[in-house]
Amino acid sequence: MKKKIVWFFALMMVVCTLGACGGKSVADQDIAKTSREKNQIVWGVKYDTRLFGLMDIATGEVRGFDIDIAKALTEKMLGRDGNAIFVEVTSKTRIPLLKNGNIDAIIATMTISEERKKQVDFSDVYFDAGQSIMVQKDSPIQSVNDLGANNTVLAVKGSTSAANIREHAPDAKILELENYSEAFTALQSGQGDVMTTDNAILLGMAASNPDYKLVGGTFTNEPYGIAINKNQENFLNEVNQALKEIHEDGTYDEIYQKWFPDDETGKVEE
Ligand code: GLU
């Protein structure tokens, strides 16, 4: 009897692996259709990036430009009652989470790059950033060109910044952290003398930490796009259509103004 039960479970496992259990895989689903059926879009967002996606521990709410854009797009795509669900991603985890179907889309300070296009599709650009560096107020470093073998640059795993800084400061040592809060803590504790990522992200940090400043302007272009799984043309078209609509009806400008009232450089004109 026992043997029979074991065989039964073994057989079930084979059947399940062959795909008869647990519904369709992400690749076979039409996300445009399933998101309508569930009346929700699951967005992968940052939880540690001031101005774009930051978890407010007091309210348990995540807030920022990416969050407001995701809410506005959800409303355009699903109507007023549509739900925008937010799941935390980091630069390193966002593509795997998308590929595994844990999230429907990534809206998380993510640069559209040729390398990433091999794995995911991108919407039209919704924010224009550029990479920069941040140092302590009294640091002698004035630009990326000043970085040499004596400097340790802090960057985040899975970001374009980590790859770009190798090119622009080939002699500098690079320490890669898991996420932005860890990287900033490392800077504060002196594990590195420079931190690098997009200007808009660094500005958010410097604004609440006046001992630090951005120097040297930007040295790359980092156009942000919303990443979607490959073969989801319907969903991608709907996202682009919704983006167009929020530009046309002024919602985009309103959200931009809310988060970046003194800086037009990231704004994308339709
Ligand atoms: N925009 C850059 C990137 O996509 C840096 C910001 C981030 O790590 O999300 O990698």
Side-chain angles (χ1 to χ4, degrees):
M1 184 64 189
K2 237 184 187 171
K3 233 181 183 176
K4 264 191 187 158
I5 293 172
V6 172
W7 270 109
F8 174 75
F9 279 112
L11 186 70
M12 280 306 286
M13 270 172 73
V14 173
V15 174
C16 282
T17 353
L18 289 177
C21 288
K24 288 178 176 178
S25 78
V26 200
D28 305 328
Q29 285 179 19
D30 179 359
I31 307 285
K33 194 162 155 249
T34 53
S35 64
R36 250 191 308 278
E37 282 163 4
K38 295 180 190 161
N39 196 32
Q40 68 173 38
I41 298 173
V42 183
W43 300 93
V45 298
K46 294 284 180 72
Y47 272 31
D48 70 346
T49 306
R50 189 173 292 279
L51 299 179
F52 287 93
L54 185 72
M55 174 52 82
D56 179 342
I57 310 169
T59 61
E61 245 188 293
V62 56
R63 298 180 69 244
F65 180 75
D66 282 346
I67 308 301
D68 285 351
I69 295 287
K71 285 181 183 163
L73 296 180
T74 306
E75 191 177 323
K76 291 282 178 215
M77 291 162 77
L78 299 178
R80 271 193 179 278
D81 299 331
N83 294 305
I85 311 280
F86 298 114
V87 169
E88 182 179 12
V89 299
T90 65
S91 305
K92 194 177 84 174
T93 64
R94 59 193 162 192
I95 290 183
L97 286 171
L98 183 70
K99 295 247 157 224
N100 289 340
N102 298 74
I103 51 180
D104 297 324
I106 303 166
I107 181 157
T109 65
M110 187 169 184
T111 300
I112 301 170
S113 75
E114 290 309 312
E115 195 55 35
R116 289 173 177 162
K117 277 192 197 164
K118 292 178 193 157
Q119 300 187 68
V120 296
D121 285 337
F122 282 102
S123 72
D124 296 335
V125 180
Y126 71 93
F127 187 91
D128 265 321
Q131 189 169 339
S132 191
I133 59 173
M134 184 170 76
V135 292
Q136 225 161 10
K137 272 255 151 84
D138 54 5
S139 166
I141 298 164
Q142 280 176 20
S143 89
V144 71
N145 301 327
D146 294 341
L147 301 178
N150 292 330
N151 300 113
T152 299
V153 185
L154 303 161
V156 166
K157 287 180 188 166
S159 67
T160 49
S161 340
N164 290 339
I165 198 71
R166 286 206 170 81
E167 223 177 276
H168 286 83
D171 297 332
K173 288 189 268 307
I174 296 156
L175 182 58
E176 289 182 63
L177 287 304
E178 292 298 322
N179 56 47
Y180 284 98
S181 45
E182 271 187 30
F184 189 59
T185 307
L187 182 68
Q188 286 174 307
S189 64
Q191 290 179 61
D193 40 7
V194 182
M195 178 170 169
T196 190
T197 182
D198 299 336
N199 53 349
I201 300 176
L202 293 174
L203 280 170
M205 291 178 181
S208 45
N209 298 279
D211 289 347
Y212 295 89
K213 62 176 182 186
L214 274 73
V215 288
T218 56
F219 53 91
T220 69
N221 289 325
E222 307 289 329
Y224 291 176
I226 297 163
I228 288 162
N229 268 312
K230 292 241 172 240
N231 303 315
Q232 295 293 340
E233 273 75 25
N234 291 341
F235 191 56
L236 181 63
N237 290 339
E238 284 185 17
V239 167
N240 277 331
Q241 176 59 29
L243 259 180
K244 218 168 156 233
E245 286 171 24
I246 65 165
H247 272 285
E248 281 163 5
D249 72 6
T251 310
Y252 175 90
D253 282 357
E254 229 171 77
I255 298 173
Y256 189 91
Q257 180 66 19
K258 172 178 167 191
W259 292 101
F260 307 100
D262 312 314
D263 185 357
E264 294 267 295
T265 52
K267 197 166 181 177
V268 174
E269 306 291 348
E270 258 299 273

